[in-house]
Amino acid sequence: MYALLSQEGNLYLIEKPGTYNYDEGMVEVKEHHINNIPSYVNSSKGIRFVLFEPYDIDLFEKSFERYAQIIHEKDLGYLMRRLSLNKNAVLLESGSGSGHATIFLSRLFRHVDSYEKDKRFYETTKRNILLFKVDNISLYHKDVIACSKTNYYDAILFDFKDACNIRYIEKAREVLKPGGIIIMYFPVVEQVMEAINNLQQAGFVNVSLREILLREWKTKPFRPKNIMLGHTAFLIEARKV
Ligand SMILES: C[S@@+](CC[C@H](N)C(=O)[O-])C[C@H]1O[C@@H](n2cnc3c(N)ncnc32)[C@H](O)[C@@H]1O
C-alpha cells in the first residue's frame, strides 16, 4: 500500500503502479516512483503529489474497517499515556470490536491478547490487523471470561457492556499481575457506578473516574467551532494490590 498526498491536501491510498484519476487530474505512478519513495509525481493538471509509505493515521482514515463503536481518539490518546508501562508489558483487551484500540495499543506493548466474542467483529478486527501489518497481537474469538492466565497481564482494557459485572471484575483481578492497572470504558453512568462498586468490593485500589472533553477550533477566523462533541464515555482506572 502507498499513499499519495496532493498539494491540495487530499490523501489517496494505492496498491501498485498505475494510472489514477482524481479531482486534481490524472496521476501516473510508475515503478521508479515506487522504488524511490518518498518521490514526487505531477498530475495532468500540473498538481504535485508526494508518494510515500502510509502512516498508521493514513491507513486508519482511509482503509480502516469500522464495525463496532470505537474508542474515540481523544480518549485513546489519554489512555495510551496511562498505559505506557514498559517495553516488556503485556496487555489483555476485550472486546476487540473493530480492533481500533487493539492496533494502536499494540505499539506500546510487547504483546496484546484481545478477546472478541462476536464472530463478525472478530473477523473485522482480523482484517484490520492484517492491514496494519501488526504481529504482536493474539486475537481470540471467545468471551474474555475464558482467559486463564493467572497473574499474567500488566494491564487490562475492558470496553464492553457487561464489564461492570462482578464476574468480569473478578476475572480481571485473577489474570492481572499484582500492581497491574485496569482501565474500563463505559458510556453510561449506571455502568460506571456498578463498576466502581465492584472494583472496590474486589479489592482494587486507587480507583479513579475521568471524562475527557475536546474543543475544536476554526483557524479562519480563530475561534472555537460552534458544535462540540458532547459525550463519548467515562474512563475508570484502578490498580490491583
Ligand atoms: C464497543 S466494542 C469495542 C470497541 C473497541 N474497543 C475499539 O476501539 O474498536 C465492544 C465489543 O465487545 C464485544 N464483547 C461484548 N462482551 C464481550 C465479552 N464478554 N467477551 C469478549 N468480547 C465481548 C462486543 O461483541 C463488541 O464487539
Side-chain angles (χ1 to χ4, degrees):
M1 193 85 81
Y2 306 97
L4 272 170
L5 176 66
S6 79
Q7 264 179 319
E8 316 269 291
N10 292 320
L11 186 111
Y12 308 96
L13 293 183
I14 60 168
E15 299 272 354
K16 51 182 192 296
T19 304
Y20 299 91
N21 285 298
Y22 304 124
D23 288 348
E24 293 96 328
M26 193 179 76
V27 182
E28 275 189 74
V29 178
K30 303 243 166 76
E31 204 68 60
H32 72 88
H33 293 122
I34 302 269
N35 293 338
N36 290 298
I37 52 174
S39 56
Y40 293 94
V41 194
N42 284 332
S43 77
S44 56
K45 290 185 182 171
I47 293 175
R48 203 172 197 220
F49 284 72
V50 59
L51 179 76
F52 58 99
E53 270 193 47
Y55 294 104
D56 284 358
I57 193 75
D58 305 321
L59 293 174
F60 177 72
E61 281 171 13
K62 292 291 168 187
S63 288
F64 185 83
E65 209 182 309
R66 199 183 287 213
Y67 210 51
Q69 184 62 45
I70 63 168
I71 294 185
H72 193 278
E73 64 184 17
K74 75 175 168 65
D75 302 320
L76 190 60
Y78 174 81
L79 211 147
M80 288 177 79
R81 171 63 183 79
R82 297 300 299 171
L83 292 181
S84 296
L85 303 180
N86 65 45
K87 60 180 173 22
N88 288 318
V90 184
L91 173 75
L92 169 66
E93 188 222 12
S94 186
S96 325
S98 310
H100 176 231
T102 329
I103 289 164
F104 283 93
L105 285 168
S106 73
R107 306 297 192 211
L108 297 179
F109 287 88
R110 180 170 60 77
H111 199 84
V112 176
D113 283 346
S114 184
Y115 282 71
E116 172 54 58
K117 70 174 187 182
D118 184 305
K119 178 93 172 141
R120 291 163 306 164
F121 293 121
Y122 166 80
E123 294 294 346
T124 306
T125 297
K126 212 158 87 174
R127 283 194 293 276
N128 280 329
I129 289 173
L130 278 177
L131 173 73
F132 280 74
K133 301 191 179 108
V134 189
D135 61 5
N136 62 336
I137 299 171
S138 300
L139 185 62
Y140 299 92
H141 176 217
K142 281 183 184 164
D143 190 309
V144 69
I145 211 78
C147 178
S148 60
K149 294 177 173 169
T150 309
N151 290 340
Y152 180 77
Y153 297 99
D154 300 279
I156 293 179
L157 171 64
F158 275 176
D159 172 21
F160 60 96
K161 190 166 155 270
D162 295 332
C164 50
N165 187 290
I166 191 72
R167 272 181 82 220
Y168 290 106
I169 288 177
E170 292 285 6
K171 174 53 69 177
R173 195 175 55 135
E174 175 193 321
V175 301
L176 196 59
K177 275 184 194 165
I181 178 168
I182 179 166
I183 296 192
M184 309 179 90
Y185 191 70
F186 294 115
V188 174
V189 172
E190 283 81 351
Q191 291 170 307
V192 169
M193 290 165 73
E194 185 179 345
I196 289 184
N197 189 36
N198 287 335
L199 282 165
Q200 284 163 343
Q201 195 181 312
F204 281 88
V205 296
N206 295 356
V207 180
S208 63
L209 174 62
R210 287 184 184 82
E211 187 183 2
I212 292 162
L213 305 180
L214 175 75
R215 190 160 71 144
E216 284 195 71
W217 283 50
K218 294 180 185 174
T219 53
K220 237 185 201 174
F222 280 105
R223 50 159 294 175
K225 287 188 177 170
N226 293 1
I227 295 173
M228 189 173 161
L229 178 64
H231 174 67
T232 54
F234 301 99
L235 287 149
I236 299 175
E237 186 178 318
R239 303 291 292 263
K240 171 175 166 177
V241 272

